[in-house]
Amino acid sequence: MTATDTLTGTPIALVGLGKIAIDQHHPSILKSGAFRLAATVSRNAGLDGIPAYTSLAALLDNQPEVTAVSLCTPPQVRHAMAREALEAGLDVMLEKPPGATIAEVEALTDLAAARGRVLFATWHSRFAAGVPAAKAWLAGRQILRGTITWREDVRRWHPGQRWIWQAGGLGVFDPGINALSILTEILPAPLRLTGAELEFPENQETPIAARLSYLTGAAPIAADFDFRQEGPQSWAMEFETDDGVLSLADGGATVSAGGQNLSQGEALGSEYDGLYARFARLIATRTSEVDLSPLKHVADAFMLGRRLTTDPFIE
């Protein structure tokens, strides 16, 4: 018997050990009373004291007690692993974006339903501290216009990660989809893309910047996504309404309206804790949760966006 055998909680495996898995998923699993980290799967990394495997098949062969996996691999390879896990009878949590295409995530949703498994497509930014307060405040007001500024330094947040520049890796929409996940959560009316400009480095397959025009009802929403931000990072939204201005800062952690703080938190502070608490509830109720609206808006941007070529990106 090992030390982990004496622990309580659903045994879960962390699949993919990149920056987000190590910085966010691992600490949140350790803090969760609902899960215990039973194993990891990665081609070239591991965690001290945790059984490690280089394939999902090896995990399944050696630790049949594992009943859930959290998939943190790049989106281009996630569908095959999620399918393997669901077919093996595991419940599956997907890091955002849930896949490289809408169709493949829909196929996973159907498979999970057919096999009676739980599938959770996560949007961590919806669990930012200020998002519920922002949603409640906007619910009773008419939005007149809005601006979204989501600018960060790709070298800081995705160092050496080639997958993000390859087709299916989304480029600047990897962080931009966080903004879209908040928008689709808090807006009282649906969002519709009306125009887009996407800047592609001449040596990469995905965009480094995007300027997007939306409508929610009759209100225009302008979004500016950029991977070239140096210094302070910008994850902010502002909505002018018929009854004052709502501002979100730090990725939705801080929200103010009419000069009053509605919520104050830390960027990324408890978002992943919230994800694992939600996953535990979904498992307990045998319920899947798959909302593809943020990914659909990214797909719309690639369909409708005018492509511009910019300077090459060199790490």
Side-chain angles (χ1 to χ4, degrees):
M1 177 178 291
T2 66
T4 56
D5 291 328
T6 64
L7 301 177
T8 60
T10 299
I12 190 170
L14 190 54
V15 182
L17 289 178
K19 180 176 174 60
I20 199 69
I22 292 172
D23 290 353
Q24 302 298 335
H25 286 265
H26 182 212
S28 289
I29 292 172
L30 293 181
K31 287 187 286 184
S32 170
F35 296 99
R36 64 177 177 87
L37 185 57
T40 65
V41 177
S42 175
R43 289 180 300 176
N44 49 27
L47 295 170
D48 289 344
I50 304 296
Y53 304 94
T54 57
S55 70
L56 192 55
L59 164 68
L60 296 170
D61 287 343
N62 288 277
Q63 289 189 247
E65 77 276 11
V66 172
T67 58
V69 291
S70 179
L71 297 185
C72 304
T73 61
Q76 295 97 323
V77 300
R78 200 173 298 148
H79 173 263
M81 301 191 81
R83 184 176 186 87
E84 183 179 3
L86 290 169
E87 289 179 338
L90 277 62
D91 297 322
V92 175
M93 176 171 163
L94 303 172
E95 174 55 89
K96 64 85 191 173
T101 71
I102 293 168
E104 70 181 30
V105 185
E106 290 177 335
L108 292 176
T109 304
D110 292 342
L111 177 60
R115 297 299 175 92
R117 309 322 303 167
V118 172
L119 182 65
F120 180 26
T122 68
W123 303 107
H124 67 80
S125 290
R126 288 182 174 176
F127 289 79
V131 169
K135 182 176 182 177
W137 193 88
L138 287 175
R141 292 168 172 85
Q142 179 184 353
I143 297 174
L144 304 178
R145 61 189 56 84
T147 58
I148 316 300
T149 305
W150 227 256
R151 301 171 66 93
E152 64 181 52
D153 185 352
V154 65
R155 293 179 175 88
R156 173 177 171 184
W157 297 100
H158 297 280
Q161 295 179 7
R162 287 296 311 143
W163 62 266
I164 206 166
W165 297 112
Q166 296 166 351
L170 298 192
V172 75
F173 284 102
D174 182 79
I177 206 170
N178 296 335
L180 293 171
S181 73
I182 294 175
L183 278 176
T184 51
E185 177 68 12
I186 68 176
L187 292 179
L191 191 68
R192 179 172 66 88
L193 183 72
T194 59
E197 290 184 343
L198 312 181
E199 290 189 45
F200 287 74
E202 64 180 30
N203 62 335
Q204 306 296 345
E205 297 173 354
T206 56
I208 198 168
R211 292 172 293 278
L212 311 159
S213 299
Y214 293 96
L215 286 175
T216 178
I221 306 288
D224 175 20
F225 301 160
D226 206 304
F227 247 164
R228 299 168 294 195
Q229 179 88 338
E230 297 181 359
Q233 309 290 276
S234 301
W235 305 301
M237 302 182 181
E238 185 171 282
F239 301 95
E240 182 182 342
T241 78
D242 60 346
D243 185 31
V245 176
L246 178 79
S247 297
L248 292 83
D250 300 324
T254 302
V255 177
S256 63
Q260 289 187 316
N261 283 339
L262 302 182
S263 182
Q264 182 75 40
E266 179 183 352
L268 290 179
S270 62
E271 294 176 11
Y272 285 84
D273 294 354
L275 289 184
Y276 282 94
R278 175 69 63 83
F279 192 29
R281 290 195 295 273
L282 294 174
I283 290 174
T285 59
R286 307 309 303 161
T287 305
S288 289
E289 182 175 299
V290 182
D291 175 14
L292 293 181
S293 56
L295 189 59
K296 288 179 180 179
H297 286 298
V298 173
D300 285 353
F302 278 99
M303 291 178 66
L304 192 59
R306 186 164 65 93
R307 180 180 178 127
L308 305 175
T309 302
T310 190
D311 297 337
F313 172 80
I314 308 297
E315 181 90 36

